[in-house]
Amino acid sequence: MRQMKIETPKGHELVAEDILRRIREGEWQPGLRLPSVVELAEAYGVGRSTIREAASALKAMGWLDVRHGGGTFVKEELPNETKSGAERLFQGADSLIELLEVRRTLEIGAASLAAERRTSADVAKLRRLIETMESCLERNDTAEGERADAEFHMAIAAAAGNSLFVQLMESLSDRFAGSIRQTRELWFYREKATASRLLDEHRSIFEAIEKGDKQRATELVSAHLSKVEHVLREALSK
């Protein structure tokens, strides 16, 4: 693979499509370690950032395993492409944005109630999750960071003290976790400074809920999810 020269249009979407084609056609088998970013950039005639963006998108879709400092591998277990129509809906850009709109509606209301009704146990759980996110940032542990991020939003719903909020969030929990993973892969973890800003946003939301500031909590959640949507639209439009 070191000698390959690939003739393909430029752009990370098209590079991702070509890598995906090679995996689907069996040229690059599950478990295979892909050429380095430098080698792929030379082969495709694009910049390294284009390769990284393509790899991040394919990782978010479940086709690649990007190991920090360890290379990029084809997933041992590839995505099931025979999913139902309803399941496939949640793989597209439009469905992610629609899901963010649902999240905004639910989570703004939940944050307002959480600031009013949170218990000491709720506050303690949210604080632990913030501490986990801080630790993950320091260790560059993206997988655990994604899990803590999703749990943080679920914990806010629980702190709202309304069982229907919890049931609604739990019914969509897998999809919420997937949207968090995909948005983080597409943009948030490209640079450490960006991940740090994301942590700061979560910390501010926590502090507003802890202090019982309903207006501040709802404003912060709304701003956070609006920014996530903006970033997602921007990343997927390139």
Side-chain angles (χ1 to χ4, degrees):
M1 284 188 290
R2 289 178 179 275
Q3 303 301 318
M4 67 179 177
K5 181 64 180 177
I6 301 170
E7 295 297 331
T8 187
K10 307 301 186 288
H12 78 268
E13 298 98 336
L14 295 170
V15 171
E17 286 176 10
D18 190 71
I19 292 174
L20 184 54
R21 176 187 63 78
R22 291 169 179 273
I23 296 172
R24 283 172 169 156
E25 293 178 357
E27 181 178 345
W28 289 349
Q29 293 287 322
L32 175 76
R33 179 172 180 169
L34 270 57
S36 69
V37 170
V38 173
E39 291 169 334
L40 286 173
E42 290 177 354
Y44 281 101
V46 298
R48 298 179 191 180
S49 62
T50 298
I51 298 299
R52 292 191 183 98
E53 289 172 1
S56 291
L58 289 172
K59 179 182 177 183
M61 294 166 63
W63 291 93
L64 295 180
D65 179 11
V66 181
R67 305 172 189 174
H68 293 283
T72 300
F73 297 77
V74 179
K75 277 277 195 178
E76 291 284 355
E77 184 174 345
L78 299 178
N80 178 7
E81 296 193 287
T82 61
K83 293 181 178 180
S84 68
E87 290 175 307
R88 287 198 300 273
L89 282 174
F90 284 87
Q91 294 180 350
D94 289 344
S95 65
L96 276 177
I97 291 168
E98 289 171 357
L99 184 55
L100 283 170
E101 291 174 350
V102 174
R103 283 186 59 190
R104 183 186 295 113
T105 301
L106 287 175
E107 293 190 48
I108 288 175
S112 176
L113 288 175
E116 179 182 346
R117 301 174 179 176
R118 76 275 182 264
T119 65
S120 58
D122 293 325
V123 171
K125 181 171 184 177
L126 289 167
R127 181 180 290 109
R128 284 196 301 273
L129 289 168
I130 291 294
E131 291 170 352
T132 298
M133 284 188 252
E134 290 173 343
S135 174
C136 290
L137 178 60
E138 292 172 359
R139 295 182 281 110
N140 198 27
D141 187 340
T142 58
E144 183 68 10
E146 290 162 8
R147 185 196 63 77
D149 191 332
E151 283 196 19
F152 179 83
H153 291 276
M154 293 295 293
I156 291 175
N162 183 315
S163 61
L164 287 179
F165 265 121
V166 176
Q167 290 175 42
L168 286 168
M169 293 284 283
E170 286 181 345
S171 71
L172 295 171
S173 61
D174 288 343
R175 292 165 182 168
F176 277 8
S179 74
I180 287 171
R181 181 178 64 253
Q182 287 174 281
T183 51
R184 289 171 78 112
E185 287 297 334
L186 284 168
W187 194 78
F188 287 139
Y189 271 93
R190 287 184 186 174
E191 52 180 296
K192 198 175 183 69
T194 301
S196 179
R197 277 199 302 277
L198 179 60
L199 172 61
D200 289 341
E201 290 182 12
H202 284 81
R203 187 185 291 111
S204 295
I205 292 169
F206 160 68
E207 290 172 352
I209 291 173
E210 182 183 28
K211 294 174 183 177
D213 191 335
K214 294 175 60 175
Q215 182 175 345
R216 178 69 172 159
T218 56
E219 288 174 351
L220 288 169
V221 170
S222 178
H224 170 64
L225 293 177
S226 292
K227 187 181 297 182
V228 169
E229 181 178 336
H230 171 74
V231 167
L232 179 61
R233 288 182 185 276
E234 187 177 71
L236 292 175
S237 68
K238 292 180 178 178

